[in-house]
Amino acid sequence: MRRYLGLLAAVYPRALARDHLTDMLWPQSDGDRAINNLYAATSDLRCILRGVAGVRLMCSEGAYGLSLQGNVGIMTVGSKDHSVAHAPGSMSGASTLSTSYDGGAAAEFSRRPMM
C-alpha cells in the first residue's frame, strides 16, 4: 500500500497504466494474480484515503492516479523513502498519512489554507 501511494504521488498529476503498476508492485506475479492484487490494493488504499480530505485515488481507462482538491498539494521531500499526506484533523489541525516506498521521488501532501 505504501509503495503504491508513493508511486502515484511521484508521478502526480499524471497517472500510471495498470500494467506498469502491476509490473512495479508485483514483478514476480503472473498477469491475473498481479491484477487481482492491484484491485485489492486499490480498494484498501481508497478506504485509507477516505480519511484524508482532498485526496482521492482515481482510475480511468486503465490508468491509476491521484486526484487532489485545489487546497491540497504535493511537495518533493528529501528522502526517497517517505511520503506524507496532511489534511485537517481534530486537535492539532492536521492529520497525517505517511508512506514509505523504495523508488522514485518522495512526496508530501500539504493542505493549504483556502483564501
Side-chain angles (χ1 to χ4, degrees):
M1 210 81 56
R2 293 176 181 177
R3 186 163 187 237
Y4 185 13
L5 177 59
L7 290 169
L8 296 175
V11 300
Y12 178 81
R14 298 181 323 246
L16 290 172
R18 180 185 70 186
D19 292 341
H20 185 69
L21 266 173
T22 57
D23 288 346
M24 293 177 74
L25 295 171
W26 300 281
Q28 305 302 321
S29 295
D30 65 20
D32 289 341
R33 182 160 179 90
I35 289 171
N36 288 337
N37 289 342
L38 179 61
Y39 292 158
T42 298
S43 177
D44 292 345
L45 186 53
R46 282 184 170 144
C47 287
I48 292 167
L49 291 177
R50 280 189 202 122
V52 183
V55 180
R56 295 289 173 261
L57 173 57
M58 306 301 289
C59 177
S60 177
E61 299 177 13
Y64 294 73
L66 294 174
S67 172
L68 306 179
Q69 288 182 352
N71 60 338
V72 176
I74 297 178
M75 300 179 300
T76 302
V77 295
S79 169
K80 72 175 188 174
D81 299 322
H82 195 249
S83 288
V84 181
H86 295 286
S90 54
M91 292 175 52
S92 68
S95 59
T96 300
L97 172 66
S98 180
T99 182
S100 298
Y101 62 102
D102 61 3
E108 179 176 297
F109 297 93
S110 64
R111 189 163 180 89
R112 298 182 294 268
M114 305 264 306
M115 301 277 178

